[in-house]
Amino acid sequence: MSDSGKEMLGDASGDPTNSAVKDPADWVTGDEPATAPQKSYLDTLAREAGEEIPASVSKAEASEHIDRLQHKTGRGVIDSEA
């Protein structure tokens, strides 16, 4: 928390167990259709990986595919030796 008592994103003194990152399976809106940005990025990743993904994926499914394809294609991977 900051000196003002408000919770701040990126605050190094914040509670590390209170993560904003949730498993897509736990998303309240996870069963809604994927967003346009998700579909666009997923389309790019799938092409690079030589895969086809149904356009009817949910938000949660799209997120899971994006994570998997980022690893497969090397996109979004942070180089720890940089």
Side-chain angles (χ1 to χ4, degrees), residues 24-81:
D26 296 333
W27 292 359
V28 174
T29 61
D31 60 344
E32 292 179 2
T35 64
Q38 280 181 309
K39 285 184 177 182
S40 176
Y41 189 43
L42 189 52
D43 182 50
T44 299
L45 289 171
R47 283 188 216 183
E48 288 183 10
E51 293 188 22
E52 290 185 358
I53 308 291
S56 61
V57 295
S58 68
K59 285 181 182 180
E61 291 168 332
S63 179
E64 291 168 351
H65 282 299
I66 287 168
D67 287 345
R68 179 180 60 78
L69 292 173
Q70 281 181 324
H71 290 323
K72 185 174 181 177
T73 63
R75 281 184 172 248
V77 176
I78 299 172
D79 184 2
S80 61
E81 296 182 23

Side-chain angles (χ1 to χ4, degrees), residues 7 13 19-20 50 52 55 76 81:
E7 182 179 359
S13 66
S19 174
E52 290 185 358
E81 296 182 23

